[in-house]
Amino acid sequence: MRALRCDLVGGPRERRWFLAKQRQPRTSAAQPAEAPRRPALQEVTQFMLLEREVEVQYRPLMREALQSKVTAVADSLRGQTPTCSRCSQPMKRHDTETVSWEARVGHLHASVDRYRCPRCKDESRPLLDLLGVEPGRISGSLARLLALLAVVTPYALAAQLAWLLLGVKVSDMGVWKVVQRLGESAARYSEGLSQYHADSRSEGASTREAPPAVVLSVDGSMLGMQVRKQRRRRTGAEPLPPLPAVQEGQFQEVKTGVLLLPAERVETSPGRHSVVRRFLVSCLGDADTIFARLYAQLRELGWVGSDTVVVIVGDGAEWIWNRATMFVRRCEILDFWHALEHAWSVARLLYGEQSQLADRWVHQIAEDLRAGKVQEVIARLQRMRPKTPELRAELQGLIAYYSEHAGRMHYDEYLRLGYGIGSGAVESAHKQVVHARFRQAGMRWSEAGARRLLALRLLLLNDDWALLDRLPMISIA
């Protein structure tokens, strides 16, 4: 800005005068007659005080009521001898101990009988198995609520929100442990469901009302991983072993798929569409894993009948089209915007960066592709005579790319059927599933930690969080 002002001044003498004037200390503005007042805060409203008073008064009563119900359940099991799950023989009572655990209303405890099988040496604590709690652990609805907070926000902030929203003090590590135990349970359930539906003898949901077409879009996104998979451990009084060398570029691909129905795509504004509902599938596995889970989700929803056309939208990656053959009735679509990206590479070399001629050239290709004239576009590209080796190589690559995927570029027909021609749904899914939680500043993940949190986040985004109430909390070593 100063350089611009100097150019506006006349000769060298005027410029020197202008610069000297700029260096002069500026006089401060006139001070107001009165010092500014500090912004005032109002008193806490009477209603908020009443709310907190009632919560403080009745929270102990709720804990006492829940404790009495736990005691009643424990008393109902007195005298009942469990049988061994392995040999079906009656077990013998070994001892009784008082255990405690953390619940939403506070600290609970119970006297628990421990039984042992004389033959198999297996142990059982029927009361804890019936209640679904573990000694000394956060259990019940409190664990599910803490996991819910951690699914949408980092662990440290989730611990703060637990105090502000639930009135429960918990450490960051306490929230992390809950997520690991519930996330492992959710991940195992998802993997087991995929294996179940992979067997042709398994039964899926009824396909009586299967849709005529279902859109499947899949893509990958990179996730920063921890460079050291295991922590260093001290042996006795010896010093910790040296840190291993840090390797750059520690990333792993998260594959995400979206399932939606073309009939549920609505136009929210001219040229802009949205979907009424969608189902997300994501994993840290390979291409076979994500397609196995997509197929399992289709069967679980009852969306893949004998006459259902599975529309696969992809960006041209070979791993997508190689796995798409698992669907007999399918329609493969190359992402329209990905096809134009290749055209832009040629246009920049042909007309230069930020050229209006390049804009018009790509716009004409886009209009022709949207009208289903892919063969005309290829013929026009073949008639071009590039002047540089770089442009010739880029043009030949574009012609080969369009020729290879010509059968997936009948965009006029796809638009007429309502399938859509872009992969915007899966791009949006990446932002919601991965970016919003896993790719915040400085975040690096272990494979197990990412897999567990990913399973929980999918339950929330698919509006299936209630399923977590029916999953056990798994102990993590």
Side-chain angles (χ1 to χ4, degrees), residues 73-83 91 93 113 115 126 130:
V73 173
D75 294 339
S76 66
L77 295 180
R78 303 291 183 195
Q80 298 184 15
T81 302
T83 57
M91 306 180 76
R93 190 171 67 86
D113 294 333
Y115 292 84
L130 179 61

Side-chain angles (χ1 to χ4, degrees), residues 173-221:
M173 183 57 66
V175 178
W176 179 86
K177 290 179 179 179
V178 166
V179 169
Q180 303 312 303
R181 295 161 64 202
L182 285 175
E184 181 64 25
S185 183
R188 290 184 185 182
Y189 176 79
S190 179
E191 295 168 4
L193 198 64
S194 177
Q195 296 175 3
Y196 169 78
H197 286 293
D199 194 322
S200 59
R201 297 167 295 180
S202 62
E203 294 184 5
S206 174
T207 58
R208 222 175 300 173
E209 298 180 0
V214 57
V215 176
L216 184 158
S217 187
V218 62
D219 198 5
S221 174

Side-chain angles (χ1 to χ4, degrees), residues 403-414:
S403 300
E404 178 185 358
H405 297 287
R408 305 183 179 105
M409 299 173 67
H410 303 297
Y411 297 118
D412 58 333
E413 184 71 10
Y414 307 147

Side-chain angles (χ1 to χ4, degrees), residues 7 46 61 65 72 97 107 149 152 158 196 300 364 367 381 399:
D7 293 340
Q46 186 65 27
L61 299 179
E97 60 179 346
H107 197 71
L149 295 176
V152 298
Y196 169 78
E300 192 73 7
Q364 184 60 50
E367 291 296 319
L381 294 174
I399 294 173

Side-chain angles (χ1 to χ4, degrees), residues 220-224 249-254 430 434-435 438-439:
S221 174
M222 303 309 294
L223 182 64
Q250 292 288 335
F251 293 92
Q252 188 169 343
E253 188 176 37
V254 180
H430 274 312
V434 181
H435 294 201
F438 293 84
R439 292 183 59 172

